[in-house]
């Protein structure tokens, strides 16, 4: 089972960016923990990070025939991007939407997500653990679908 993990804009700055909200872990450290976690679940993960909406859309299009599912933290594009929503929907891939912070506890503009409606589930507010929970949820979802 192959899962693509997509990190949206500014997530390359993890560890440096507003650590009171997003924590001290770097993206590299997070990806390495996720790789180990996936292996323990007999899954494989690949990572993609971009600050550009179009590049994220292209990565989702390219994932169609290569991956079984997508974990995505769309960053600020969560709240603005019809293009990312459309790409996820047309890929037909099951999606787990994850957020490090609890977006519902923050500014009102973060309460709206264009991605939640095309996702199997959403995890928000558990720090970088949100990625682990989202990955686990998606793998369990895919396994229960095939069995
Ligand atoms: C975020 C929440 C978004 O509102 C914000 O723009 C981000 C990160 C999160 O992981 O908590 O860039 O997706």
């Amino acid at each position: 089972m192959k899962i693509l993990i997509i990190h949206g804009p500014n997530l390359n700055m993890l560890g440096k960016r507003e650590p009171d909200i997003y924590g001290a872990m770097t993206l590299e450290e997070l990806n390495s923990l996720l790789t180990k976690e996936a292996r323990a679940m007999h899954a494989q993960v690949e990572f993609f990070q971009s600050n550009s909406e179009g590049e994220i859309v292209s990565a989702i299009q390219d994932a169609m025939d290569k991956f079984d599912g997508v974990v995505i933290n769309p960053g600020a594009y969560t709240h603005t991007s019809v293009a990312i929503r459309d790409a996820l929907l047309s890929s037909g891939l099951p999606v787990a939407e994850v957020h490090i912070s609890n977006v519902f506890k923050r500014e009102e503009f973060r309460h709206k997500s264009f991605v939640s409606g095309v996702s199997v589930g959403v995890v928000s507010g558990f720090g970088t653990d949100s990625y682990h929970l989202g990955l686990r949820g998606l793998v369990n979802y895919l396994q229960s679908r095939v069995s």
Side-chain angles (χ1 to χ4, degrees):
M1 182 182 301
K2 282 189 78 177
I3 309 286
L4 178 63
I5 300 185
I6 300 177
H7 304 285
N10 295 307
L11 290 159
N12 56 315
M13 299 302 284
L14 269 191
K16 291 185 208 135
R17 170 194 188 199
E18 299 171 274
D20 47 319
I21 298 177
Y22 298 112
M25 192 179 290
T26 65
L27 191 61
E28 215 180 19
E29 289 164 343
L30 173 60
N31 286 349
S32 138
L33 289 177
L34 289 166
T35 303
K36 284 190 198 135
E37 170 127 18
R39 224 176 272 146
M41 292 186 283
H42 307 290
Q44 256 178 286
V45 282
E46 279 183 29
F47 301 96
F48 179 79
Q49 192 281 323
S50 176
N51 296 323
S52 143
E53 185 177 20
E55 281 179 13
I56 294 171
V57 168
S58 297
I60 295 165
Q61 290 175 358
D62 291 345
M64 270 177 76
D65 306 316
K66 298 187 196 123
F67 293 90
D68 301 298
V70 174
V71 173
I72 183 166
N73 182 349
Y77 289 139
T78 307
H79 320 298
T80 62
S81 181
V82 177
I84 290 176
R85 177 198 169 92
D86 284 352
L88 289 168
L89 193 58
S90 70
S91 76
L93 293 170
V95 176
E97 176 186 350
V98 301
H99 299 283
I100 296 169
S101 64
N102 179 352
V103 288
F104 300 102
K105 247 169 114 174
R106 301 181 64 193
E107 302 94 326
E108 205 167 331
F109 66 83
R110 295 186 204 274
H111 298 181
K112 160 104 189 140
S113 167
F114 281 96
V115 173
S116 301
V118 297
S119 298
V120 176
V122 182
V123 185
S124 183
F126 291 98
T128 48
D129 281 353
S130 293
Y131 281 90
H132 297 279
L133 295 165
L135 176 62
R136 186 162 286 274
L138 189 66
V139 169
N140 287 350
Y141 171 84
L142 285 163
Q143 280 169 348
S144 65
R145 243 183 24 167
V146 290
S147 61

